[in-house]
Amino acid sequence: MGAFITLLLSSCGTTRTPRYNFQELARAAIRLEMDIDEKDNHALYVESSKWLGVPYRYGGTSKRGTDCSGLTYSIYKKVYHKKLQRSSEDQRTEDCRKVTKRNLKEGDLVFFHNGKKKRKASHVGIYLKEGKFIHASSSQGVIVSALDEPYYRRCWMQGGRISD
């Protein structure tokens, strides 16, 4: 019984409450225009918010300019410490397993075709939550869009969960 009490008391000191930078989270929530809950991946939302407004640059992977797969590559490297392929199609076929739209979770990739080549991903973004995803638009730079917007509904290809 004494060993149990010692174990119980010693384990109390090992549980730590996660520390949040509430100012950083508040800034991210405002920039992304969405609530960030306690259960959400705070690192994903904070990092994503830092990319908003970055101009589109084909082949780019920096905050001076990025394309869609460069954005997913850079955020995944920073948040998840995973290196993705550098093209939308390669991320879809080599880095992911298929996920249906209704089973998307935050951090999943979302893939779209261009309306002509429907079997090849020409655009990718990162699913956040509540039907919204972050991506690099060729006309507007890095923005948050909704999956139910007509263009993204029409050109939806699949969701993808990064393999471990």
Side-chain angles (χ1 to χ4, degrees), residues 67-133:
D67 62 16
C68 62
S69 60
L71 176 69
T72 56
Y73 174 91
S74 298
I75 290 177
Y76 254 82
K77 188 175 175 187
K78 174 85 177 195
V79 174
Y80 299 106
H81 310 288
K82 292 186 178 183
K83 190 173 181 182
L84 301 181
Q85 301 296 316
R86 264 298 283 124
S87 79
S88 303
E89 179 64 9
D90 288 346
Q91 287 178 3
R92 183 180 77 85
T93 58
E94 296 179 33
D95 293 328
C96 293
R97 63 182 168 85
K98 191 173 183 175
V99 176
T100 62
K101 194 185 283 189
R102 72 176 185 278
N103 289 327
L104 287 171
K105 294 181 182 176
E106 74 178 10
D108 284 346
L109 299 183
V110 289
F111 296 97
F112 305 89
H113 57 75
N114 64 8
K116 296 172 189 143
K117 296 180 182 177
K118 296 183 179 185
R119 293 179 184 242
K120 186 174 180 184
S122 60
H123 191 62
V124 62
I126 300 175
Y127 186 75
L128 297 172
K129 66 179 182 175
E130 299 168 353
K132 301 212 169 150
F133 67 103

Side-chain angles (χ1 to χ4, degrees), residues 134-151:
I134 188 166
H135 62 114
S137 160
S138 59
S139 60
Q140 300 175 58
V142 178
I143 58 173
V144 172
S145 295
L147 290 173
D148 66 359
E149 292 175 28
Y151 176 81

Side-chain angles (χ1 to χ4, degrees), residues 26-37:
R27 277 192 297 273
I30 290 166
R31 292 203 70 206
L32 293 166
E33 298 180 8
M34 60 177 49
D35 292 331
I36 301 172
D37 299 324

Side-chain angles (χ1 to χ4, degrees), residues 17-84:
T17 305
R19 293 184 184 196
Y20 303 119
N21 181 334
F22 291 106
Q23 286 182 328
E24 194 172 48
L25 286 173
R27 277 192 297 273
I30 290 166
R31 292 203 70 206
L32 293 166
E33 298 180 8
M34 60 177 49
D35 292 331
I36 301 172
D37 299 324
E38 185 178 325
K39 64 178 176 36
D40 291 333
N41 181 338
H42 294 175
L44 173 63
Y45 291 94
V46 168
E47 183 63 21
S48 294
S49 74
K50 292 176 182 178
W51 285 85
L52 286 176
V54 169
Y56 182 86
R57 179 180 294 159
Y58 181 77
T61 58
S62 77
K63 290 182 181 146
R64 288 192 332 227
T66 188
D67 62 16
C68 62
S69 60
L71 176 69
T72 56
Y73 174 91
S74 298
I75 290 177
Y76 254 82
K77 188 175 175 187
K78 174 85 177 195
V79 174
Y80 299 106
H81 310 288
K82 292 186 178 183
K83 190 173 181 182
L84 301 181

